[in-house]
């Protein structure tokens, strides 16, 4: 059987109130919980009262006999603590005290904290510790007998008479203790922490934070975050279902290929913002290939489907039979090689066609830059165990990750998808909506 340990600041109505003749909070908790060890935290003023009439030890010894339970009393004396309103100093000292106490505790011991005694700074400090959850303890609050504010009077304090008149010494005393969960504050803490994960697009972490809450409004917010998570995972069917159910519209591009490419590019943008540079580079190749195809179709009037087929593994290959009807295209694909060698369709093939067929120098520069990035960096990140950062990317390509992302955005202007530049803030706008609803 583990020990019960109480940490209690001492306040103005401890050990008993001479205004209503009932227990103060410290004595009342001891009466109800019967702790084995009691730590009394005493400021300069409370130490003065103890030295004057031994009031705290006197009442605890009397209580031991009354409840037939021995308590070990340990005093934490702070003779220099005179400015008891200073939250930062008190909080820091309380943390040190609790660390020391818990370091000596056994696994089955239970720690109680009296959050009703002491100054407002002391009570607040213990409540904040309860909310932060750094330590495993139970916060105990004691209500006043008449459910009103305690009055503090110390003049003419007669501890022996007060003990004899103490109404709580009756066997029929009313238990005024309640354990404080601070659920509202805990929920608020969870919400604020979840918001920080949303700001970094880590929706899985945000969901994990909110998952254990029973708060109805938090659960509604979790549905929105799940939508965002599905969106980041490119689970379009789930996103559409959630948007309809929740009455929101977070995806600005609706048509098939345009939506697929745009949403994929947004996930690439998020990798860049989160500095996941290796993942960013690895994800470029699928996008560039499809992006070049869309550009080729819009700017050059060439549909790649007319000259390719899919093999049994789902890979796209050039078709010799289909290309025979377009000698110009065959010449472009052959380039300076002595003979035409066809196989799978790669982005460099499409880049060559765009460079030969387009009269727009800006477009030719864009596709060339993107192809160079893919060629110089992507394979390096995919096949070697190396540290990938912006300096490394700049060293190999001449561009940092943000510049590469901006080039991708510029490439979308040539697809004919009609995606306005402000739509690239789509995730941040979605996050702002989600966070605006995270009120409890």
């Amino acid at each position: 059987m583990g020990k019960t340990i109480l940490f209690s600041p001492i306040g103005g109505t401890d050990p008993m109130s001479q205004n209503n003749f009932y227990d103060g909070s410290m004595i009342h908790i001891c009466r109800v919980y019967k702790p084995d060890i009691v730590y009394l935290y005493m400021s300069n003023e409370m130490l003065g009262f103890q030295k004057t009439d031994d009031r705290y030890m006197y009442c605890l010894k009397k209580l031991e006999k009354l409840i037939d339970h021995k308590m070990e009393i340990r005093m934490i004396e702070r003779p220099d603590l005179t400015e008891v309103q200073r939250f930062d100093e008190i909080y820091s000292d309380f943390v040190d005290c609790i660390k020391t106490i818990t370091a000596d505790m056994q696994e089955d011991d239970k720690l109680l904290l009296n959050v009703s005694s002491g100054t407002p700074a002391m009570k607040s400090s213990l409540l904040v510790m309860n909310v932060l959850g750094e330590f495993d303890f139970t916060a105990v609050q004691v209500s006043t007998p008449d459910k009103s504010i305690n009055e503090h009077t110390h003049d003419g304090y007669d501890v022996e008479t007060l003990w004899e008149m103490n109404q709580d010494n009756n066997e029929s005393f009313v238990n005024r203790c309640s354990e404080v969960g601070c659920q509202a504050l805990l929920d608020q803490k969870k919400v604020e922490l979840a918001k920080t994960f949303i700001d970094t697009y880590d929706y899985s972490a945000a969901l994990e934070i909110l998952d254990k809450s029973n708060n109805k409004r938090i659960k509604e917010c979790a549905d929105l975050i799940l939508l965002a998570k599905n969106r980041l995972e490119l689970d379009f069917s789930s996103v559409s279902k959630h948007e309809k159910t929740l009455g929101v519209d977070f995806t600005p591009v609706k048509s098939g290929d345009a939506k697929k490419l745009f949403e994929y590019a947004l996930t690439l943008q998020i990798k860049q913002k989160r500095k996941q540079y290796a993942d960013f580079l690895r994800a470029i190749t699928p996008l560039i290939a499809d992006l070049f195809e869309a550009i080729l179709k819009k700017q050059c009037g060439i549909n790649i489907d007319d000259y390719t087929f899919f093999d049994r593994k789902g890979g796209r290959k050039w078709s010799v039979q289909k290309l025979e009807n377009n000698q110009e295209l065959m010449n472009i694909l052959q380039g300076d090689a002595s003979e035409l060698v066809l196989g799978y369709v790669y982005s460099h093939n499409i880049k060559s066609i765009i460079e030969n067929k387009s009269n727009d120098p800006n477009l030719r520069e864009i596709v060339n830059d993107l192809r160079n990035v893919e060629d110089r960096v992507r394979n390096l990140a995919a096949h070697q165990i190396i540290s990938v950062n912006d300096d490394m990317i700049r060293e190999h390509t001449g561009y940092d990750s943000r510049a590469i992302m901006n080039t991708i955005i510029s490439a979308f202007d040539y697809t004919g998808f009609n995606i306005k530049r402000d739509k690239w803030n789509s995730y941040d706008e979605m996050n702002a909506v989600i966070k605006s609803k995270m009120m409890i």
Side-chain angles (χ1 to χ4, degrees):
M1 183 72 177
K3 295 180 180 179
T4 300
I5 302 165
L6 171 65
F7 173 84
S8 174
I10 299 300
T13 57
D14 290 317
M16 295 168 295
S17 170
Q18 59 182 345
N19 293 307
N20 57 33
F21 307 109
Y22 281 89
D23 287 342
S25 298
M26 180 271 291
I27 286 291
H28 199 70
I29 294 173
C30 290
R31 186 186 301 276
V32 172
Y33 284 89
K34 299 179 176 59
D36 302 291
I37 302 174
V38 179
Y39 288 88
L40 302 181
Y41 183 94
M42 295 188 182
S43 65
N44 176 278
E45 183 181 15
M46 300 301 116
L47 278 171
F49 294 145
Q50 171 60 25
K51 291 177 180 177
T52 298
D53 53 25
D54 196 36
R55 63 181 65 175
Y56 310 113
M57 291 301 298
Y58 176 85
C59 289
L60 285 168
K61 290 175 182 177
K62 285 287 189 179
L63 182 64
E64 282 182 330
K65 294 180 180 179
L66 184 65
I67 64 176
D68 191 24
H69 180 76
K70 180 67 176 176
M71 294 178 283
E72 179 183 347
I73 313 302
R74 302 178 183 179
M75 292 193 182
I76 302 175
E77 301 182 359
R78 295 294 184 262
D80 296 329
L81 181 56
T82 56
E83 298 190 44
V84 292
Q85 78 283 359
R86 293 190 174 182
F87 175 87
D88 289 346
E89 295 178 12
I90 289 173
Y91 180 82
S92 177
D93 195 22
F94 277 5
V95 169
D96 291 340
C97 290
I98 301 303
K99 282 183 178 179
T100 301
I101 293 170
T102 54
D104 293 333
M105 289 175 57
Q106 302 299 314
E107 186 176 353
D108 55 350
D109 289 346
K110 180 179 182 179
L111 177 61
L112 308 175
L113 264 61
N114 174 9
V115 298
S116 290
S117 290
T119 64
M122 293 178 181
K123 298 173 186 177
S124 298
S125 294
L126 294 178
L127 286 171
V128 168
M129 291 172 64
N130 188 32
V131 171
L132 293 178
E134 181 179 356
F135 302 101
D136 184 13
F137 57 72
T138 300
V140 180
Q141 190 173 44
V142 180
S143 62
T144 59
D146 52 6
K147 312 298 181 182
S148 62
I149 298 174
N150 277 320
E151 296 183 11
H152 298 182
T153 303
H154 302 290
D155 295 337
Y157 197 93
D158 185 345
V159 64
E160 295 182 9
T161 300
L162 286 171
W163 179 258
E164 295 301 322
M165 298 176 64
N166 187 348
Q167 299 300 303
D168 282 324
N169 284 334
N170 297 320
E171 290 184 2
S172 60
F173 81 94
V174 176
N175 177 2
R176 291 180 279 116
C177 294
S178 60
E179 297 183 0
V180 183
C182 295
Q183 191 58 50
L185 289 174
L186 286 169
D187 283 341
Q188 188 61 49
K189 175 191 172 186
K190 290 178 181 178
V191 165
E192 294 305 317
L193 184 56
K195 284 181 179 180
T196 65
F197 285 120
I198 290 172
D199 284 335
T200 58
Y201 316 100
D202 192 344
Y203 305 113
S204 294
L207 279 174
E208 188 173 345
I209 292 295
L210 301 183
D211 185 52
K212 297 179 181 179
S213 175
N214 293 318
N215 185 290
K216 181 180 178 181
R217 296 188 67 178
I218 288 181
K219 287 184 177 295
E220 291 173 352
C221 293
D223 290 337
L224 287 170
I225 299 171
L226 178 59
L227 188 162
K229 176 177 178 289
N230 292 151
R231 184 185 182 189
L232 190 61
E233 294 170 348
L234 303 177
D235 184 354
F236 299 136
S237 61
S238 294
V239 170
S240 297
K241 181 180 67 176
H242 288 315
E243 284 183 326
K244 184 177 180 180
T245 301
L246 299 173
V248 295
D249 185 3
F250 291 147
T251 50
V253 180
K254 304 301 181 184
S255 63
D257 289 342
K259 179 177 182 178
K260 181 181 71 172
L261 279 182
F262 176 65
E263 289 292 331
Y264 185 90
L266 288 176
T267 67
L268 201 66
Q269 184 184 49
I270 288 172
K271 288 179 172 63
Q272 186 271 321
K273 288 182 177 181
R274 296 183 68 183
K275 300 182 179 181
Q276 297 172 333
Y277 298 123
D279 290 340
F280 171 73
L281 295 174
R282 294 186 191 104
I284 282 178
T285 291
L287 175 66
I288 288 180
D290 289 348
L291 190 55
F292 282 6
E293 286 185 25
I295 292 171
L296 182 65
K297 184 176 182 179
K298 178 65 179 178
Q299 300 300 320
C300 306
I302 298 176
N303 187 341
I304 204 74
D305 292 337
D306 295 338
Y307 304 98
T308 59
F309 69 96
F310 289 94
D311 65 13
R312 293 180 179 178
K313 296 181 179 180
R316 186 194 288 269
K317 288 185 174 182
W318 294 105
S319 170
V320 177
Q321 291 78 11
K322 293 179 180 181
L323 282 169
E324 286 177 349
N325 298 322
N326 192 327
Q327 187 62 47
E328 180 188 13
L329 200 56
M330 291 184 69
N331 292 337
I332 293 172
L333 291 173
Q334 182 174 340
D336 296 331
S338 58
E339 61 178 328
L340 177 62
V341 179
L342 297 174
Y344 288 104
V345 178
Y346 294 110
S347 57
H348 69 83
N349 303 137
I350 307 174
K351 184 205 79 161
S352 297
I353 301 172
I354 294 173
E355 286 181 324
N356 277 273
K357 298 290 288 183
S358 173
N359 295 320
D360 187 330
N362 186 58
L363 173 58
R364 291 199 298 267
E365 181 180 3
I366 287 173
V367 296
N368 186 66
D369 287 345
L370 289 178
R371 173 57 193 148
N372 285 340
V373 167
E374 180 188 22
D375 185 48
R376 297 176 185 177
V377 183
R378 190 271 174 190
N379 289 334
L380 193 64
H383 301 300
Q384 297 186 39
I385 302 175
I386 59 172
S387 174
V388 180
N389 53 42
D390 248 352
D391 290 337
M392 176 266 199
I393 296 172
R394 190 183 297 107
E395 178 184 349
H396 285 80
T397 68
Y399 303 102
D400 61 17
S401 60
R402 179 177 294 182
I404 294 171
M405 192 65 225
N406 288 336
T407 304
I408 291 172
I409 293 173
S410 296
F412 267 84
D413 294 338
Y414 289 91
T415 60
F417 294 157
N418 195 28
I419 299 172
K420 296 180 180 180
R421 286 300 178 100
D422 61 353
K423 301 304 181 185
W424 291 94
N425 298 320
S426 177
Y427 266 83
D428 292 334
E429 292 174 359
M430 177 182 67
N431 289 349
V433 172
I434 294 174
K435 291 193 297 179
S436 71
K437 296 181 180 296
M438 295 176 70
M439 306 290 289
I440 61 173

